């Protein structure tokens, strides 16, 4: 039993170390540093964000609520980036709404944006009164992230779930046809 | 040929109805205000099994689905501890349940839970939802996700679902302490005014 425990601890700390190693393996370069400094984050409260959720032009909007601390969000982020690239010509715009904590904008969010070369439009929502604004995003939203909205001027779909790329394309295609 | 078409139609109708009911079910999952909560028996960080029935003197419970790894849950740790300090003696102890799949989130495994509880000096039970069978009954979707239940003759009845308060970032800037207000009302034998609130949280890892 003791041995088992020790093994578990070793395994656990090894895993931890691996994570640290992963981060350390990619030090921030000088160019990245200047890029991070150059980022001018758009930080909104909900009243400022709300218009972005209700644009009535000819585009299809894919809105993803995420944060750097949300593991399933990070996992699906590349799929949203892919959509943004592949469907730009089809009038699709991806907007990534970050829910990162203000004190981590400089230490986590900006470095993440640079490291992962995010190209989609990014806005940051800083509004603590979530009980007021969550139901305005969608009446069915419990507040868990990741959460995604796809909409155009005629219809709207809400997903409180994680996506893989294929699923995301299937849902988007419902708006394209 | 007609038969085939009919059959296909039937299949379509049945399938359509089935898919509707599944979504409806998904939406309606979990306890609502006024529902009676089924008791659970989950392992605590001290190795003992804990049920609501163990708390003979309790008038109700402040149940929170929480974990080590979600920043929102972490932001509320001290406030959960404060709730237990304030209300356990008055008959509303906190019971914390960790709902995540520890294969996905090793940082939420039993050892990590024990470590965290020790670090933070938790005075409430911190239970592992082993097999992830309890949180779906509640309909919890995220951490933290709070339920205040009142012990009545028919069982433990849900009186409040949602957030602890209205400011996860800054405990000092809180305007509405939802859980406190709910428990205070119940202690006075009054109706809970704000029964449900919404808050951002980390999706429960399955």
């Amino acid at each position: 039993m003791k041995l088992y425990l020790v093994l578990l601890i070793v395994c656990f700390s090894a895993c931890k170390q691996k994570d640290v190693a992963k981060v350390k393996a990619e030090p921030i370069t000088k160019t990245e540093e200047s890029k991070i400094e150059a980022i001018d984050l758009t930080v909104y409260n909900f009243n400022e964000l709300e218009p972005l959720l209700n644009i009535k032009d000819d585009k299809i909007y894919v809105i993803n609520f995420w944060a750097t601390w949300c593991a399933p969000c990070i996992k699906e982020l590349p799929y949203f980036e892919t959509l943004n690239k592949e469907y730009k010509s089809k009038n699709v715009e991806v907007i990534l709404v970050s829910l990162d904590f203000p004190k981590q904008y400089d230490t986590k969010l900006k470095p993440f944006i640079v490291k992962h070369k995010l190209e989609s439009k990014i806005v940051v929502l800083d509004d603590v009164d979530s009980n007021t604004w969550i139901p305005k995003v969608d009446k069915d939203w419990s507040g868990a992230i990741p959460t995604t909205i796809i909409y155009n001027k005629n219809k709207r779909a809400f997903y409180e779930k994680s996506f893989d790329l294929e699923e995301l394309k299937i849902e988007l295609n419902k708006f394209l046809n | 040929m007609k038969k085939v078409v009919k059959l296909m139609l039937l299949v379509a109708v049945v399938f359509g109805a089935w898919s509707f009911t599944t979504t409806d079910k998904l939406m309606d999952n979990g306890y609502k205000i006024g529902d009676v909560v089924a008791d659970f028996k989950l392992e605590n960080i001290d190795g003992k099994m804990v049920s609501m029935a163990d708390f003979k003197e309790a008038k109700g419970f402040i149940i929170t689905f929480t974990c080590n790894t979600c920043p929102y849950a972490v932001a509320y740790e001290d406030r959960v501890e404060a709730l237990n300090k304030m209300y356990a003696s008055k008959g509303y102890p906190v019971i914390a349940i960790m709902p995540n799949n520890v294969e996905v989130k090793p940082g939420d495994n039993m050892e990590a839970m024990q470590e965290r509880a020790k670090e933070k000096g938790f005075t409430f039970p911190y239970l592992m939802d082993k097999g992830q069978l309890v949180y779906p009954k509640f309909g919890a979707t995220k951490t933290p996700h709070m339920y205040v239940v009142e012990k009545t003759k028919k069982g433990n009845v849900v009186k409040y679902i949602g957030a602890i308060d209205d400011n996860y970032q800054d405990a000092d800037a809180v305007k509405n302490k939802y859980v406190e207000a709910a428990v205070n009302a119940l202690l006075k034998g009054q109706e809970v005014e704000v029964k449900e609130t919404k808050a951002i949280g980390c999706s429960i890892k399955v």
Side-chain angles (χ1 to χ4, degrees):
Chain A
M1 183 61 203
K2 244 186 184 170
L3 184 73
Y4 187 58
L5 253 173
V6 169
L7 266 174
L8 247 176
I9 292 166
V10 168
C11 169
F12 189 55
S13 51
C15 295
K16 255 189 183 163
Q17 266 165 9
K18 216 166 98 194
D19 279 348
V20 174
K22 223 164 62 191
V23 176
K24 274 191 182 157
E26 304 173 67
I28 291 169
T29 63
K30 273 265 159 62
T31 18
E32 283 173 342
E33 219 175 80
S34 56
K35 274 185 193 163
I36 289 168
E37 275 168 31
I39 292 180
D40 187 13
L41 281 182
T42 308
V43 183
Y44 285 153
N45 62 28
F46 187 74
N47 285 339
E48 293 163 324
L49 176 79
E50 202 172 14
L52 288 186
L53 309 179
N54 298 288
I55 301 169
K56 296 205 179 338
D57 59 14
D58 293 323
K59 276 194 193 173
I60 297 159
Y61 292 90
V62 180
I63 316 283
N64 176 244
F65 289 87
W66 69 292
T68 58
W69 48 257
C70 162
C73 303
I74 301 309
K75 196 175 161 207
E76 67 176 15
L77 215 49
Y79 314 141
F80 288 91
E81 283 287 284
T82 305
L83 281 201
N84 191 51
K85 278 197 198 88
E86 285 183 11
Y87 290 83
K88 208 169 236 171
S89 58
K90 291 177 181 158
N91 240 352
V92 174
E93 185 176 348
V94 173
I95 302 176
L96 305 174
V97 181
S98 157
L99 289 163
D100 278 84
F101 299 91
K103 59 181 177 200
Q104 293 182 333
Y105 291 167
D106 289 338
T107 54
K108 285 234 171 110
L109 181 58
K110 287 180 181 179
F112 185 93
I113 292 168
V114 170
K115 271 279 175 217
H116 294 84
K117 302 185 174 69
L118 300 185
E119 285 176 8
S120 306
K121 180 187 175 88
I122 296 168
V123 298
V124 187
L125 176 58
D126 178 24
D127 197 325
V128 291
D129 191 12
S130 47
N131 186 45
T132 305
W133 60 259
I134 287 173
K136 290 184 189 168
V137 173
D138 193 283
K139 65 173 175 43
D140 292 324
W141 189 15
S142 81
I145 58 171
T147 276
T148 300
I149 294 169
I150 304 178
Y151 80 91
N152 62 18
K153 60 185 172 191
N154 299 318
K155 62 173 179 173
R156 186 175 198 95
F158 171 79
Y159 313 88
E160 183 174 330
K161 68 190 278 290
S162 297
F163 274 109
D164 59 32
L165 184 55
E166 200 186 337
E167 264 182 305
L168 198 51
K169 283 185 175 174
I170 289 170
E171 292 305 319
L172 180 59
N173 276 320
K174 290 181 186 168
F175 284 78
L176 285 165
N177 301 325
Chain B
M1 185 60 205
K2 245 186 176 175
K3 255 189 180 167
V4 175
V5 172
K6 261 190 183 167
L7 191 69
M8 278 171 69
L9 253 173
L10 186 72
V11 168
V13 167
V14 169
F15 191 78
W18 173 78
S19 65
F20 268 116
T21 43
T22 6
T23 16
D24 282 349
K25 250 191 184 165
L26 272 177
M27 307 289 272
D28 286 338
N29 251 346
Y31 296 130
K32 302 272 179 299
I33 300 296
D35 284 354
V36 173
V37 174
D39 205 351
F40 41 76
K41 194 169 189 177
L42 298 172
E43 190 181 358
N44 194 8
I45 42 173
D46 62 5
K48 292 185 182 132
M49 301 303 281
V50 172
S51 298
M52 287 189 281
D54 302 335
F55 297 78
K56 302 276 187 266
E57 306 295 313
K59 295 172 184 158
F61 299 92
I62 301 168
I63 298 169
T64 175
F65 290 88
T66 188
C67 68
N68 294 343
T69 52
C70 171
Y72 278 89
V74 171
Y76 272 114
E77 278 172 337
D78 293 340
R79 279 174 264 183
V80 171
E81 175 57 30
L83 281 176
N84 193 52
K85 285 226 170 76
M86 200 179 332
Y87 290 112
S89 58
K90 291 180 181 162
Y92 275 82
V94 167
I95 298 179
I97 302 175
M98 204 301 293
N100 287 337
N101 179 351
V102 296
E103 305 276 322
V104 180
K105 280 273 168 195
D108 284 326
N109 68 17
M110 187 46 101
E111 271 183 31
M113 282 166 62
Q114 289 162 345
E115 204 174 306
R116 192 71 192 153
K118 203 174 158 192
E119 261 172 38
K120 299 298 292 184
F122 290 163
T123 54
F124 50 84
Y126 190 14
L127 313 178
M128 169 73 79
D129 187 4
K130 195 179 172 189
Q132 299 186 292
L133 298 172
V134 173
Y135 89 77
K137 285 190 189 168
F138 276 78
T141 57
K142 60 188 190 293
T143 52
H145 205 153
M146 315 279 301
Y147 294 76
V148 176
V149 302
E150 184 185 27
K151 201 191 267 183
T152 68
K153 276 182 190 149
K154 57 173 180 171
N156 291 301
V157 177
V158 179
K159 293 289 181 179
Y160 172 78
I161 304 174
I164 295 183
D165 58 42
D166 63 1
N167 195 325
Y168 64 89
Q169 275 177 27
D170 185 357
D172 296 328
V174 167
K175 290 193 201 94
N176 294 295
K177 297 182 173 181
Y178 303 122
V179 168
E180 276 188 35
V183 178
N184 286 341
L186 292 171
L187 284 170
K188 283 186 210 149
Q190 292 167 351
E191 185 85 356
V192 174
E193 207 172 310
V194 180
K195 295 183 176 70
E196 278 185 87
T197 59
K198 297 281 180 79
I200 292 294
C202 308
S203 57
I204 290 172
K205 309 298 181 291
V206 288

